[in-house]
Amino acid sequence: MPVRIEKNKNLTTAYLSGEIDHHSCVLIRDEIDKTVNMVAPRELCLDFMHVSFMDSSGIGLVMGRYKLMHALGGRLRVSGVSRSAMKVMKLAGLDMLAKIDCKGETK
Amino acid sequence: MKALNEMKLTLESRSVNESFARVAVSAFVASLDPTVEEISDIKTAVSEAVTNCIVHGYKNTMGRIYIWVGIFENNVVKIRIRDRGCGIADIAQAMAPLFSTEPEERAGLGFAVMQSFCDKLSVRSTPGKGTTVTLIKTIESREQC
């Protein structure tokens, strides 16, 4: 499974792993949305620590979860982003939508 | 100009092949001793182009994706990715950042990513016939530094 989710009302964390592309992101998205709609957490964290590759499908994944959390009155955080994934996220200006922590930054 | 080395790859337009396509191209280019960042740039750009063939070119149908990679003098890599899908009527509009015909979670940034991760991008398309995307990138081989 490319995503493992820790449910908590205050902070729900989705630990993503492997490669995020158009093929894998459907499954990840459905899994996260199912949990988020059930728990309605105050904050959702997408953890990219174990993501080895990400293309622009990852942008859609983050933007879609931002909209979902926004609709629920919650916040989105993104953590453990590698340098190359950050390059893709910055291209889309995702750093203006959510707080993004890069790999190596302890939080 | 003749390529010093080249390869061809034909794939069915199944989304599960996206990963294979980008890994195969990056493995071929690995002979130039690219940096980790250059490899990741190539993988990302190829992934975007192949995804476009699957999501847009062939939409809900199955077709073939033709990939050709050539290595030229001075570490210039040319990657051509072609489909025989529906084609693009307005290339300028398709390439505009955030434009997407499939707004459902597609960010519309595929061409923007290809453009910024490669040195040169060109797109040729004929509606009803298909689309060819050519990516060019020079690998700053570590040996030369």
Side-chain angles (χ1 to χ4, degrees), chain A residues 53 84, chain B residues 22-46 117 137 139 142:
Chain A
F53 172 84
S84 53
Chain B
R22 62 180 177 256
V23 169
V25 173
S26 66
F28 181 70
V29 175
S31 63
L32 296 177
D33 194 21
T35 62
V36 174
E37 186 170 358
E38 285 166 339
I39 277 291
S40 143
D41 287 355
I42 288 174
K43 273 191 184 173
T44 312
V46 169
F117 285 32
K137 189 171 175 74
I139 301 298
R142 282 176 288 188

PDB file of all heavy atoms in Angstrom, chain A residues 53 84, chain B residues 22-46 117 137 139 142:
ATOM      1  N   PHE A  53       9.805   9.287  -5.864  1.00  0.00           N
ATOM      2  CA  PHE A  53       9.608  10.016  -7.125  1.00  0.00           C
ATOM      3  C   PHE A  53       8.251  10.696  -7.105  1.00  0.00           C
ATOM      4  O   PHE A  53       7.277  10.155  -6.583  1.00  0.00           O
ATOM      5  CB  PHE A  53       9.675   9.049  -8.321  1.00  0.00           C
ATOM      6  CG  PHE A  53       9.290   9.708  -9.619  1.00  0.00           C
ATOM      7  CD1 PHE A  53      10.223  10.423 -10.352  1.00  0.00           C
ATOM      8  CD2 PHE A  53       7.979   9.641 -10.092  1.00  0.00           C
ATOM      9  CE1 PHE A  53       9.857  11.055 -11.528  1.00  0.00           C
ATOM     10  CE2 PHE A  53       7.607  10.275 -11.269  1.00  0.00           C
ATOM     11  CZ  PHE A  53       8.554  10.988 -11.985  1.00  0.00           C
ATOM     12  N   SER A  84      13.940  17.260  -5.161  1.00  0.00           N
ATOM     13  CA  SER A  84      13.357  17.211  -6.502  1.00  0.00           C
ATOM     14  C   SER A  84      11.834  17.365  -6.463  1.00  0.00           C
ATOM     15  O   SER A  84      11.245  18.019  -7.329  1.00  0.00           O
ATOM     16  CB  SER A  84      13.758  15.924  -7.215  1.00  0.00           C
ATOM     17  OG  SER A  84      13.461  14.807  -6.426  1.00  0.00           O
TER      18      SER A  84
ATOM     19  N   ARG B  22       9.777   5.937 -17.597  1.00  0.00           N
ATOM     20  CA  ARG B  22      10.752   6.918 -17.073  1.00  0.00           C
ATOM     21  C   ARG B  22      12.013   6.233 -16.561  1.00  0.00           C
ATOM     22  O   ARG B  22      13.113   6.756 -16.682  1.00  0.00           O
ATOM     23  CB  ARG B  22      10.116   7.821 -16.013  1.00  0.00           C
ATOM     24  CG  ARG B  22       9.614   7.132 -14.780  1.00  0.00           C
ATOM     25  CD  ARG B  22       8.996   8.105 -13.766  1.00  0.00           C
ATOM     26  NE  ARG B  22       8.482   7.370 -12.641  1.00  0.00           N
ATOM     27  CZ  ARG B  22       7.202   7.108 -12.419  1.00  0.00           C
ATOM     28  NH1 ARG B  22       6.282   7.567 -13.231  1.00  0.00           N
ATOM     29  NH2 ARG B  22       6.841   6.414 -11.366  1.00  0.00           N
ATOM     30  N   VAL B  23      11.859   5.028 -15.989  1.00  0.00           N
ATOM     31  CA  VAL B  23      13.038   4.310 -15.483  1.00  0.00           C
ATOM     32  C   VAL B  23      13.900   3.832 -16.657  1.00  0.00           C
ATOM     33  O   VAL B  23      15.123   3.947 -16.627  1.00  0.00           O
ATOM     34  CB  VAL B  23      12.616   3.124 -14.575  1.00  0.00           C
ATOM     35  CG1 VAL B  23      13.798   2.222 -14.271  1.00  0.00           C
ATOM     36  CG2 VAL B  23      11.996   3.639 -13.282  1.00  0.00           C
ATOM     37  N   ALA B  24      13.256   3.333 -17.715  1.00  0.00           N
ATOM     38  CA  ALA B  24      14.004   2.846 -18.881  1.00  0.00           C
ATOM     39  C   ALA B  24      14.796   3.981 -19.523  1.00  0.00           C
ATOM     40  O   ALA B  24      15.977   3.824 -19.836  1.00  0.00           O
ATOM     41  CB  ALA B  24      13.040   2.223 -19.892  1.00  0.00           C
ATOM     42  N   VAL B  25      14.162   5.145 -19.712  1.00  0.00           N
ATOM     43  CA  VAL B  25      14.865   6.277 -20.335  1.00  0.00           C
ATOM     44  C   VAL B  25      16.017   6.729 -19.442  1.00  0.00           C
ATOM     45  O   VAL B  25      17.139   6.938 -19.917  1.00  0.00           O
ATOM     46  CB  VAL B  25      13.892   7.451 -20.621  1.00  0.00           C
ATOM     47  CG1 VAL B  25      14.664   8.680 -21.096  1.00  0.00           C
ATOM     48  CG2 VAL B  25      12.845   7.049 -21.648  1.00  0.00           C
ATOM     49  N   SER B  26      15.768   6.841 -18.141  1.00  0.00           N
ATOM     50  CA  SER B  26      16.836   7.334 -17.271  1.00  0.00           C
ATOM     51  C   SER B  26      17.982   6.319 -17.191  1.00  0.00           C
ATOM     52  O   SER B  26      19.149   6.704 -17.088  1.00  0.00           O
ATOM     53  CB  SER B  26      16.304   7.696 -15.886  1.00  0.00           C
ATOM     54  OG  SER B  26      15.855   6.552 -15.220  1.00  0.00           O
ATOM     55  N   ALA B  27      17.671   5.034 -17.271  1.00  0.00           N
ATOM     56  CA  ALA B  27      18.734   4.020 -17.240  1.00  0.00           C
ATOM     57  C   ALA B  27      19.597   4.118 -18.499  1.00  0.00           C
ATOM     58  O   ALA B  27      20.807   3.954 -18.449  1.00  0.00           O
ATOM     59  CB  ALA B  27      18.134   2.620 -17.119  1.00  0.00           C
ATOM     60  N   PHE B  28      18.967   4.412 -19.649  1.00  0.00           N
ATOM     61  CA  PHE B  28      19.716   4.550 -20.896  1.00  0.00           C
ATOM     62  C   PHE B  28      20.658   5.750 -20.832  1.00  0.00           C
ATOM     63  O   PHE B  28      21.805   5.689 -21.269  1.00  0.00           O
ATOM     64  CB  PHE B  28      18.742   4.690 -22.073  1.00  0.00           C
ATOM     65  CG  PHE B  28      19.430   4.805 -23.394  1.00  0.00           C
ATOM     66  CD1 PHE B  28      20.080   3.720 -23.947  1.00  0.00           C
ATOM     67  CD2 PHE B  28      19.432   6.006 -24.081  1.00  0.00           C
ATOM     68  CE1 PHE B  28      20.729   3.826 -25.163  1.00  0.00           C
ATOM     69  CE2 PHE B  28      20.082   6.123 -25.305  1.00  0.00           C
ATOM     70  CZ  PHE B  28      20.736   5.020 -25.841  1.00  0.00           C
ATOM     71  N   VAL B  29      20.152   6.845 -20.245  1.00  0.00           N
ATOM     72  CA  VAL B  29      20.942   8.081 -20.156  1.00  0.00           C
ATOM     73  C   VAL B  29      22.058   7.962 -19.105  1.00  0.00           C
ATOM     74  O   VAL B  29      23.026   8.713 -19.112  1.00  0.00           O
ATOM     75  CB  VAL B  29      19.992   9.273 -19.849  1.00  0.00           C
ATOM     76  CG1 VAL B  29      20.752  10.559 -19.613  1.00  0.00           C
ATOM     77  CG2 VAL B  29      19.002   9.463 -21.002  1.00  0.00           C
ATOM     78  N   ALA B  30      21.933   6.980 -18.219  1.00  0.00           N
ATOM     79  CA  ALA B  30      22.893   6.831 -17.117  1.00  0.00           C
ATOM     80  C   ALA B  30      24.338   6.662 -17.598  1.00  0.00           C
ATOM     81  O   ALA B  30      25.274   6.958 -16.867  1.00  0.00           O
ATOM     82  CB  ALA B  30      22.505   5.645 -16.230  1.00  0.00           C
ATOM     83  N   SER B  31      24.533   6.224 -18.864  1.00  0.00           N
ATOM     84  CA  SER B  31      25.892   6.051 -19.379  1.00  0.00           C
ATOM     85  C   SER B  31      26.651   7.375 -19.446  1.00  0.00           C
ATOM     86  O   SER B  31      27.872   7.395 -19.516  1.00  0.00           O
ATOM     87  CB  SER B  31      25.841   5.411 -20.768  1.00  0.00           C
ATOM     88  OG  SER B  31      25.183   6.275 -21.672  1.00  0.00           O
ATOM     89  N   LEU B  32      25.917   8.503 -19.404  1.00  0.00           N
ATOM     90  CA  LEU B  32      26.565   9.819 -19.460  1.00  0.00           C
ATOM     91  C   LEU B  32      26.981  10.307 -18.072  1.00  0.00           C
ATOM     92  O   LEU B  32      27.445  11.432 -17.922  1.00  0.00           O
ATOM     93  CB  LEU B  32      25.626  10.843 -20.101  1.00  0.00           C
ATOM     94  CG  LEU B  32      25.253  10.596 -21.564  1.00  0.00           C
ATOM     95  CD1 LEU B  32      24.261  11.645 -22.030  1.00  0.00           C
ATOM     96  CD2 LEU B  32      26.498  10.638 -22.434  1.00  0.00           C
ATOM     97  N   ASP B  33      26.764   9.483 -17.060  1.00  0.00           N
ATOM     98  CA  ASP B  33      27.121   9.829 -15.694  1.00  0.00           C
ATOM     99  C   ASP B  33      26.443  11.120 -15.205  1.00  0.00           C
ATOM    100  O   ASP B  33      27.112  12.057 -14.759  1.00  0.00           O
ATOM    101  CB  ASP B  33      28.652   9.959 -15.566  1.00  0.00           C
ATOM    102  CG  ASP B  33      29.093   9.969 -14.110  1.00  0.00           C
ATOM    103  OD1 ASP B  33      28.328   9.491 -13.258  1.00  0.00           O
ATOM    104  OD2 ASP B  33      30.186  10.498 -13.825  1.00  0.00           O
ATOM    105  N   PRO B  34      25.133  11.185 -15.322  1.00  0.00           N
ATOM    106  CA  PRO B  34      24.417  12.389 -14.887  1.00  0.00           C
ATOM    107  C   PRO B  34      24.377  12.496 -13.357  1.00  0.00           C
ATOM    108  O   PRO B  34      24.605  11.507 -12.665  1.00  0.00           O
ATOM    109  CB  PRO B  34      22.998  12.169 -15.429  1.00  0.00           C
ATOM    110  CG  PRO B  34      22.868  10.695 -15.570  1.00  0.00           C
ATOM    111  CD  PRO B  34      24.231  10.139 -15.821  1.00  0.00           C
ATOM    112  N   THR B  35      24.069  13.687 -12.871  1.00  0.00           N
ATOM    113  CA  THR B  35      23.900  13.865 -11.425  1.00  0.00           C
ATOM    114  C   THR B  35      22.532  13.318 -11.025  1.00  0.00           C
ATOM    115  O   THR B  35      21.670  13.088 -11.871  1.00  0.00           O
ATOM    116  CB  THR B  35      23.953  15.360 -11.042  1.00  0.00           C
ATOM    117  OG1 THR B  35      22.857  16.016 -11.701  1.00  0.00           O
ATOM    118  CG2 THR B  35      25.244  16.006 -11.460  1.00  0.00           C
ATOM    119  N   VAL B  36      22.333  13.160  -9.738  1.00  0.00           N
ATOM    120  CA  VAL B  36      21.049  12.679  -9.223  1.00  0.00           C
ATOM    121  C   VAL B  36      19.927  13.630  -9.656  1.00  0.00           C
ATOM    122  O   VAL B  36      18.839  13.209 -10.035  1.00  0.00           O
ATOM    123  CB  VAL B  36      21.096  12.591  -7.675  1.00  0.00           C
ATOM    124  CG1 VAL B  36      19.719  12.237  -7.104  1.00  0.00           C
ATOM    125  CG2 VAL B  36      22.121  11.568  -7.240  1.00  0.00           C
ATOM    126  N   GLU B  37      20.243  14.916  -9.627  1.00  0.00           N
ATOM    127  CA  GLU B  37      19.232  15.908 -10.001  1.00  0.00           C
ATOM    128  C   GLU B  37      18.866  15.810 -11.487  1.00  0.00           C
ATOM    129  O   GLU B  37      17.694  15.889 -11.856  1.00  0.00           O
ATOM    130  CB  GLU B  37      19.734  17.312  -9.668  1.00  0.00           C
ATOM    131  CG  GLU B  37      18.659  18.357  -9.912  1.00  0.00           C
ATOM    132  CD  GLU B  37      19.006  19.736  -9.365  1.00  0.00           C
ATOM    133  OE1 GLU B  37      20.082  19.884  -8.753  1.00  0.00           O
ATOM    134  OE2 GLU B  37      18.193  20.653  -9.558  1.00  0.00           O
ATOM    135  N   GLU B  38      19.879  15.612 -12.333  1.00  0.00           N
ATOM    136  CA  GLU B  38      19.611  15.489 -13.775  1.00  0.00           C
ATOM    137  C   GLU B  38      18.754  14.261 -14.079  1.00  0.00           C
ATOM    138  O   GLU B  38      17.831  14.311 -14.894  1.00  0.00           O
ATOM    139  CB  GLU B  38      20.936  15.423 -14.559  1.00  0.00           C
ATOM    140  CG  GLU B  38      21.622  16.771 -14.671  1.00  0.00           C
ATOM    141  CD  GLU B  38      23.074  16.668 -15.126  1.00  0.00           C
ATOM    142  OE1 GLU B  38      23.691  15.581 -14.981  1.00  0.00           O
ATOM    143  OE2 GLU B  38      23.611  17.672 -15.620  1.00  0.00           O
ATOM    144  N   ILE B  39      19.051  13.162 -13.411  1.00  0.00           N
ATOM    145  CA  ILE B  39      18.265  11.933 -13.595  1.00  0.00           C
ATOM    146  C   ILE B  39      16.829  12.174 -13.171  1.00  0.00           C
ATOM    147  O   ILE B  39      15.870  11.791 -13.845  1.00  0.00           O
ATOM    148  CB  ILE B  39      18.894  10.777 -12.768  1.00  0.00           C
ATOM    149  CG1 ILE B  39      20.038  10.151 -13.553  1.00  0.00           C
ATOM    150  CG2 ILE B  39      17.880   9.704 -12.414  1.00  0.00           C
ATOM    151  CD1 ILE B  39      19.607   9.364 -14.788  1.00  0.00           C
ATOM    152  N   SER B  40      16.670  12.853 -12.050  1.00  0.00           N
ATOM    153  CA  SER B  40      15.322  13.097 -11.553  1.00  0.00           C
ATOM    154  C   SER B  40      14.558  14.058 -12.482  1.00  0.00           C
ATOM    155  O   SER B  40      13.357  13.889 -12.708  1.00  0.00           O
ATOM    156  CB  SER B  40      15.435  13.591 -10.112  1.00  0.00           C
ATOM    157  OG  SER B  40      14.489  14.542  -9.837  1.00  0.00           O
ATOM    158  N   ASP B  41      15.269  15.028 -13.067  1.00  0.00           N
ATOM    159  CA  ASP B  41      14.641  15.938 -14.041  1.00  0.00           C
ATOM    160  C   ASP B  41      14.135  15.156 -15.260  1.00  0.00           C
ATOM    161  O   ASP B  41      13.023  15.374 -15.736  1.00  0.00           O
ATOM    162  CB  ASP B  41      15.649  16.993 -14.536  1.00  0.00           C
ATOM    163  CG  ASP B  41      15.951  18.051 -13.473  1.00  0.00           C
ATOM    164  OD1 ASP B  41      15.307  18.016 -12.405  1.00  0.00           O
ATOM    165  OD2 ASP B  41      16.828  18.895 -13.717  1.00  0.00           O
ATOM    166  N   ILE B  42      14.978  14.241 -15.755  1.00  0.00           N
ATOM    167  CA  ILE B  42      14.610  13.461 -16.939  1.00  0.00           C
ATOM    168  C   ILE B  42      13.422  12.550 -16.628  1.00  0.00           C
ATOM    169  O   ILE B  42      12.456  12.477 -17.387  1.00  0.00           O
ATOM    170  CB  ILE B  42      15.822  12.651 -17.453  1.00  0.00           C
ATOM    171  CG1 ILE B  42      16.820  13.617 -18.105  1.00  0.00           C
ATOM    172  CG2 ILE B  42      15.405  11.563 -18.448  1.00  0.00           C
ATOM    173  CD1 ILE B  42      18.119  12.996 -18.538  1.00  0.00           C
ATOM    174  N   LYS B  43      13.476  11.882 -15.475  1.00  0.00           N
ATOM    175  CA  LYS B  43      12.376  10.997 -15.085  1.00  0.00           C
ATOM    176  C   LYS B  43      11.060  11.781 -15.015  1.00  0.00           C
ATOM    177  O   LYS B  43      10.024  11.309 -15.489  1.00  0.00           O
ATOM    178  CB  LYS B  43      12.652  10.407 -13.695  1.00  0.00           C
ATOM    179  CG  LYS B  43      13.470   9.160 -13.695  1.00  0.00           C
ATOM    180  CD  LYS B  43      13.421   8.569 -12.287  1.00  0.00           C
ATOM    181  CE  LYS B  43      14.288   7.352 -12.165  1.00  0.00           C
ATOM    182  NZ  LYS B  43      14.357   6.890 -10.770  1.00  0.00           N
ATOM    183  N   THR B  44      11.135  12.954 -14.417  1.00  0.00           N
ATOM    184  CA  THR B  44       9.905  13.744 -14.234  1.00  0.00           C
ATOM    185  C   THR B  44       9.353  14.190 -15.588  1.00  0.00           C
ATOM    186  O   THR B  44       8.159  14.053 -15.851  1.00  0.00           O
ATOM    187  CB  THR B  44      10.174  14.964 -13.331  1.00  0.00           C
ATOM    188  OG1 THR B  44      10.889  14.531 -12.178  1.00  0.00           O
ATOM    189  CG2 THR B  44       8.876  15.604 -12.873  1.00  0.00           C
ATOM    190  N   ALA B  45      10.227  14.701 -16.462  1.00  0.00           N
ATOM    191  CA  ALA B  45       9.775  15.176 -17.772  1.00  0.00           C
ATOM    192  C   ALA B  45       9.180  14.035 -18.603  1.00  0.00           C
ATOM    193  O   ALA B  45       8.127  14.190 -19.234  1.00  0.00           O
ATOM    194  CB  ALA B  45      10.928  15.845 -18.510  1.00  0.00           C
ATOM    195  N   VAL B  46       9.838  12.865 -18.585  1.00  0.00           N
ATOM    196  CA  VAL B  46       9.331  11.711 -19.343  1.00  0.00           C
ATOM    197  C   VAL B  46       7.992  11.259 -18.777  1.00  0.00           C
ATOM    198  O   VAL B  46       7.049  10.944 -19.513  1.00  0.00           O
ATOM    199  CB  VAL B  46      10.355  10.543 -19.320  1.00  0.00           C
ATOM    200  CG1 VAL B  46       9.755   9.258 -19.862  1.00  0.00           C
ATOM    201  CG2 VAL B  46      11.600  10.922 -20.110  1.00  0.00           C
ATOM    202  N   PHE B 117      12.168  21.478 -16.655  1.00  0.00           N
ATOM    203  CA  PHE B 117      13.114  20.420 -16.295  1.00  0.00           C
ATOM    204  C   PHE B 117      14.015  20.018 -17.457  1.00  0.00           C
ATOM    205  O   PHE B 117      14.906  19.190 -17.309  1.00  0.00           O
ATOM    206  CB  PHE B 117      12.372  19.192 -15.749  1.00  0.00           C
ATOM    207  CG  PHE B 117      11.860  19.388 -14.335  1.00  0.00           C
ATOM    208  CD1 PHE B 117      11.452  20.627 -13.883  1.00  0.00           C
ATOM    209  CD2 PHE B 117      11.793  18.332 -13.457  1.00  0.00           C
ATOM    210  CE1 PHE B 117      10.994  20.819 -12.595  1.00  0.00           C
ATOM    211  CE2 PHE B 117      11.330  18.504 -12.158  1.00  0.00           C
ATOM    212  CZ  PHE B 117      10.935  19.749 -11.731  1.00  0.00           C
ATOM    213  N   LYS B 137      17.964  17.793 -23.503  1.00  0.00           N
ATOM    214  CA  LYS B 137      18.665  18.176 -22.285  1.00  0.00           C
ATOM    215  C   LYS B 137      20.137  17.834 -22.405  1.00  0.00           C
ATOM    216  O   LYS B 137      20.502  16.738 -22.836  1.00  0.00           O
ATOM    217  CB  LYS B 137      18.048  17.452 -21.088  1.00  0.00           C
ATOM    218  CG  LYS B 137      18.564  17.962 -19.737  1.00  0.00           C
ATOM    219  CD  LYS B 137      17.778  17.365 -18.595  1.00  0.00           C
ATOM    220  CE  LYS B 137      18.334  17.754 -17.244  1.00  0.00           C
ATOM    221  NZ  LYS B 137      18.047  19.149 -16.884  1.00  0.00           N
ATOM    222  N   ILE B 139      23.517  16.937 -20.541  1.00  0.00           N
ATOM    223  CA  ILE B 139      23.973  16.403 -19.256  1.00  0.00           C
ATOM    224  C   ILE B 139      25.366  16.967 -18.969  1.00  0.00           C
ATOM    225  O   ILE B 139      26.289  16.782 -19.759  1.00  0.00           O
ATOM    226  CB  ILE B 139      24.047  14.850 -19.310  1.00  0.00           C
ATOM    227  CG1 ILE B 139      22.684  14.249 -19.646  1.00  0.00           C
ATOM    228  CG2 ILE B 139      24.597  14.269 -18.013  1.00  0.00           C
ATOM    229  CD1 ILE B 139      21.579  14.534 -18.653  1.00  0.00           C
ATOM    230  N   ARG B 142      29.736  14.694 -14.819  1.00  0.00           N
ATOM    231  CA  ARG B 142      30.570  14.990 -13.658  1.00  0.00           C
ATOM    232  C   ARG B 142      32.058  14.867 -13.972  1.00  0.00           C
ATOM    233  O   ARG B 142      32.880  15.488 -13.353  1.00  0.00           O
ATOM    234  CB  ARG B 142      30.185  14.098 -12.491  1.00  0.00           C
ATOM    235  CG  ARG B 142      28.916  14.598 -11.814  1.00  0.00           C
ATOM    236  CD  ARG B 142      28.481  13.674 -10.728  1.00  0.00           C
ATOM    237  NE  ARG B 142      27.948  12.441 -11.261  1.00  0.00           N
ATOM    238  CZ  ARG B 142      27.357  11.526 -10.517  1.00  0.00           C
ATOM    239  NH1 ARG B 142      27.253  11.702  -9.217  1.00  0.00           N
ATOM    240  NH2 ARG B 142      26.880  10.429 -11.048  1.00  0.00           N
TER     241      ARG B 142
END
